Amino acid sequence: MKSYKVGIIGATGMVGQRFATLLERHPWFTVTALAASGRSAGKTYTEALGGRWAMKTPVPESMKDMVLFDATADIDKVAEQVDFVFCAVNMPKDEIKKLEEAYAKREVPVVSNNSAHRKTPDVPMVVPEINAGHIEIIPAQRRRLGTKRGFIAVKSNCSLQSYVPALHPLKEAFGLEAALACTYQAISGAGKTFETMPEIVDNVIPFIGGEEEKSEQEPLKLWGRVEGDRIVDETGISITAQCFRVPVSDGHTAAVFARFAKKPALEEIKRLWAEFKGPAQELRLPSAPKQFLHYFEEENRPQAKLDRELEGGMAVSVGRLRPDTQYDIKFVCLSHNTLRGAAGGSVLLAELLAAKGYFD
């Protein structure tokens, strides 16, 4: 596999920091540019972080003295130094849309962690194990943008990365009709630590802005299909969600209830989960978990503290599968929200795009 030069746009935020750690020794991708807000431009990465480094490992040696660009004002300079960029910026949605399109129009592909373009009909929103085929919409998007190389691809919301992978093989086998998901979401999903979010200690907050809508709608795009120059959402499945912020550092847990056209046997479900592979595994992408879905027979698993780091934080843990009185089944699942759910999911998407030649 050839190697690619990569930029991180929004390098100082929590997801940007996670990108830095994941790309430090990546076999295909080398970070050659870092960008953040105008406040950070011209400073070294260490200076710009100013003591806000939230990762367990130190700032990567290769990046700590890199001088940051202004993400908005220095697009041309970044474009000269990279083959593509990861984007994880904290800005209003309409500004993010403009920013990402500006990079794409400078012929820089954008792999975005942001939600701004998830509803754009010709922007693929991809979980590589589930809907890798959606990247085939990119030529249509390039025609709209007037680009040869540039495009935008996004990863989906972190809260649905735990339960959609577990529902996916069951949807294919038994015809998923309806699902209910209650998510219990870690504070790193808000870019916070216990030091910066003291109000969460000994507390549960029953609201996360915009999260329930994303949890209910984004799976329908993941399960949709490419038609002409757009991705058309799945219409035959109904999803309802409630989302809570809980005092956990990393790891989103979901309690899931599901109803099917054909009632499944529990042992058959476990077999499907154990055998489930996607293009990420078939292509042996560097960040792909070997076993995507792990089922725990213990009654008290999965647990965020014990299971979030499974397969480098890129696997999904499932447990407590049992019949339900109102739906057909219920179960619990867990994924690491800044790894599988955010930066790691974006890196895996970039690996898929690289393997399929979209950066060439």
Side-chain angles (χ1 to χ4, degrees):
M1 191 70 196
K2 63 188 266 191
S3 61
Y4 296 89
K5 294 180 294 187
V6 180
I8 303 172
I9 313 301
T12 55
M14 188 171 281
V15 176
Q17 294 177 29
R18 182 65 81 180
F19 273 124
T21 63
L22 291 175
L23 296 170
E24 186 178 9
R25 295 185 186 87
H26 195 281
W28 300 355
F29 306 147
T30 304
V31 175
T32 54
L34 300 173
S37 68
R39 292 188 307 278
S40 300
K43 297 177 182 174
T44 67
Y45 194 30
T46 306
E47 288 166 350
L49 288 164
R52 288 180 294 123
W53 183 253
M55 300 294 111
K56 293 186 178 83
T57 53
V59 181
E61 279 294 320
S62 59
M63 297 175 220
K64 65 182 190 182
D65 295 325
M66 282 176 103
V67 175
L68 269 69
F69 292 105
D70 182 321
T72 311
D74 294 333
I75 295 175
D76 287 330
K77 291 177 185 170
V78 174
E80 287 168 7
Q81 301 202 16
V82 300
D83 295 312
F84 73 96
V85 295
F86 290 106
C87 190
V89 292
N90 185 10
M91 294 162 66
K93 254 186 199 177
D94 54 343
E95 290 178 34
I96 294 174
K97 276 189 165 179
K98 284 184 194 145
L99 183 72
E100 291 181 345
E101 287 206 355
Y103 276 94
K105 285 175 175 173
R106 303 294 207 292
E107 301 295 356
V108 178
V110 178
V111 180
S112 177
N113 198 77
N114 305 304
S115 65
H117 272 294
R118 287 186 198 147
K119 287 184 177 173
T120 307
D122 61 7
V123 171
M125 178 177 71
V126 177
V127 176
E129 288 87 351
I130 291 174
N131 64 328
H134 283 196
I135 62 175
E136 291 163 17
I137 198 72
I138 288 170
Q141 187 197 137
R142 283 174 169 157
R143 285 194 293 277
R144 174 176 65 84
L145 294 174
T147 59
K148 289 190 174 68
R149 269 191 90 248
F151 64 88
I152 301 158
V154 299
K155 60 122 222 126
S156 63
N157 185 269
C158 53
S159 66
L160 52 95
Q161 301 274 352
S162 54
Y163 62 89
V164 170
L167 286 172
H168 183 68
L170 311 185
K171 167 190 167 285
E172 303 292 299
F174 309 115
L176 178 64
E177 292 180 339
L180 181 158
C182 292
T183 62
Y184 305 89
Q185 300 184 209
I187 58 175
S188 55
K192 301 287 188 180
T193 62
F194 286 113
E195 289 72 35
T196 59
M197 196 178 185
E199 68 273 21
I200 197 67
V201 177
D202 191 29
N203 199 13
V204 169
I205 299 172
F207 175 73
I208 305 170
E211 204 74 2
E212 287 162 2
E213 179 195 11
K214 292 171 190 169
S215 298
E216 292 170 355
Q217 294 180 0
E218 288 186 18
L220 305 179
K221 183 170 180 177
L222 290 175
W223 286 328
R225 64 197 183 279
V226 175
E227 272 190 17
D229 61 359
R230 62 194 297 115
I231 294 161
V232 178
D233 288 2
E234 164 67 55
T235 53
I237 299 170
S238 159
I239 299 174
T240 185
Q242 285 212 89
C243 301
F244 301 80
R245 188 73 72 195
V246 295
V248 170
S249 59
D250 293 302
H252 288 355
T253 300
V256 187
F257 303 76
R259 187 184 301 124
F260 301 93
K262 189 173 115 200
K263 192 163 182 173
L266 301 188
E267 290 310 312
E268 176 72 355
I269 290 172
K270 290 179 193 176
R271 182 186 67 77
L272 287 169
W273 282 339
E275 292 175 0
F276 181 43
K277 288 181 171 57
Q281 286 71 35
E282 287 150 14
L283 292 165
R284 297 188 178 174
L285 301 178
S287 301
K290 289 185 174 61
Q291 179 71 38
F292 185 27
L293 304 175
H294 288 249
Y295 187 79
F296 289 88
E297 294 288 352
E298 296 93 327
E299 287 184 337
N300 63 348
R301 302 282 286 278
Q303 293 179 27
K305 206 167 188 175
L306 299 178
D307 303 314
R308 61 192 167 205
E309 300 285 349
L310 197 61
E311 297 226 30
M314 291 299 287
V316 172
S317 304
V318 192
R320 301 209 66 210
L321 173 67
R322 57 217 193 278
D324 184 63
T325 54
Q326 296 182 359
Y327 287 76
D328 290 328
I329 59 165
K330 53 189 167 188
F331 57 90
V332 174
C333 29
L334 165 79
S335 63
H336 195 303
N337 56 295
T338 68
L339 288 166
R340 167 56 74 165
S346 296
V347 171
L348 188 63
L349 170 54
E351 291 167 0
L352 173 70
L353 291 163
K356 296 288 187 179
Y358 282 90
F359 298 142
D360 299 336

